[in-house]
Amino acid sequence: MEKLLWCSLVLISFFNVFGQTDMHKKAFVFPKESDNSYVSLKAPLKKPLKAFTVCLHIYSELALTRSYSIFSYATKKQANEILIYWSKGRGYLLTVHGTEVVFRSPENPLAPTHICVSWESDSGIAELWIDGKPMVRKSLEKGTSLGTEASIILGQDQDSFGGGYDKNQSSVGDIGDVNMWDSVLSPDEIRTVHSGGTFSPNVLDWRALKYEAHCEVFVKHQLWS
């Protein structure tokens, strides 16, 4: 009970509940492993997703020791509607509508890493870009559409809608520059985003972010340029 009360006080003291905030040059900091520290993001979705691109920065030492969740988008019908996940010994995992593909990657360096993930329903093609460089394309869930009533979480892997967290899958470190589009960005656009540009993200906009932070999550200046 004391732990829950303390988390509530942190939430009230430091963050606006789904207030719109310009997060330019800022990052969410998850300082330690937990099963109750996370950030909820609010997205103005009105129709099922037929495509998406998610871009963000991640800075963590966890890749050397264990797997962890990066971005979790759940609906009431499917907990892993979209999941971006680092799997130690395997690489980056992308799950779309419960189906998983693996992008083989060397161990993450101890440096901030920029990733972009995209998928389109028409072809099923999925792409992963790491620091502006593309990995080999994959294919999954061709013809599928993704639900709009979504719980979008940074810092934890949802095993149920808005819950089912496991501290052994939690993020520890910094996450920032989180933007999401309802389309697939072109290679030139992704390279521009990697270099600091943007293309009016219409699902999640880091410059006008609606979020709710829970427990020990803090907003600090970015450690990358």
Side-chain angles (χ1 to χ4, degrees):
M1 180 63 71
E2 290 180 358
K3 186 176 182 180
L4 291 175
L5 177 60
W6 185 87
C7 288
S8 298
L9 290 173
V10 170
L11 174 61
I12 293 169
S13 299
F14 290 100
F15 301 100
N16 295 321
V17 177
F18 289 128
Q20 184 169 298
T21 304
D22 184 352
M23 294 288 286
H24 183 54
K25 295 295 184 181
K26 297 178 181 178
F28 291 119
V29 180
F30 303 83
K32 66 181 184 179
E33 183 178 274
S34 80
D35 61 0
N36 59 5
S37 296
Y38 60 95
V39 176
S40 303
L41 304 180
K42 183 76 170 179
L45 291 167
K46 296 182 179 180
K47 59 182 180 180
L49 282 174
K50 295 283 189 178
F52 68 82
T53 302
V54 175
C55 295
L56 55 83
H57 266 103
I58 184 78
Y59 189 19
S60 177
E61 296 178 336
L62 286 180
L64 302 175
T65 57
R66 66 166 172 83
S67 304
Y68 64 97
S69 178
I70 298 171
F71 180 94
S72 175
Y73 178 115
T75 62
K76 292 181 179 179
K77 292 183 178 180
Q78 176 54 256
N80 290 328
E81 196 79 286
I82 304 171
L83 177 64
I84 305 170
Y85 193 88
W86 170 260
S87 177
K88 180 174 169 54
R90 300 175 69 193
Y92 288 98
L93 307 186
L94 170 64
T95 301
V96 174
H97 200 60
T99 301
E100 173 189 293
V101 291
V102 180
F103 292 91
R104 300 292 177 185
S105 175
E107 293 293 316
N108 282 354
L110 292 179
T113 302
H114 185 261
I115 65 173
C116 285
V117 176
S118 68
W119 168 84
E120 63 179 11
S121 176
D122 286 348
S123 66
I125 295 296
E127 297 182 8
L128 170 66
W129 293 69
I130 303 175
D131 290 332
K133 297 179 180 179
M135 305 293 289
V136 175
R137 291 182 173 112
K138 307 287 183 175
S139 178
L140 73 167
E141 289 297 311
K142 180 179 178 180
T144 297
S145 61
L146 308 182
T148 58
E149 190 180 349
S151 170
I152 306 175
I153 300 294
L154 302 177
Q156 301 284 351
D157 176 13
Q158 299 176 84
D159 289 334
S160 60
F161 184 79
Y165 305 137
D166 181 344
K167 69 178 183 180
N168 294 317
Q169 298 175 326
S170 64
S171 292
V172 180
D174 296 11
I175 298 177
D177 298 322
V178 183
N179 291 291
M180 183 174 180
W181 297 257
D182 64 0
S183 61
V184 174
L185 297 189
S186 71
D188 285 344
E189 289 172 333
I190 287 177
R191 293 186 187 100
T192 298
V193 172
H194 170 244
S195 64
T198 187
F199 290 94
S200 301
N202 59 355
V203 180
L204 297 172
D205 185 348
W206 194 247
R207 296 291 188 98
L209 195 68
K210 294 183 178 181
Y211 71 89
E212 180 180 349
H214 300 254
C215 291
E216 287 197 74
V217 183
F218 303 93
V219 175
K220 296 292 184 182
H221 293 293
Q222 291 180 355
L223 297 178
W224 52 86
S225 58

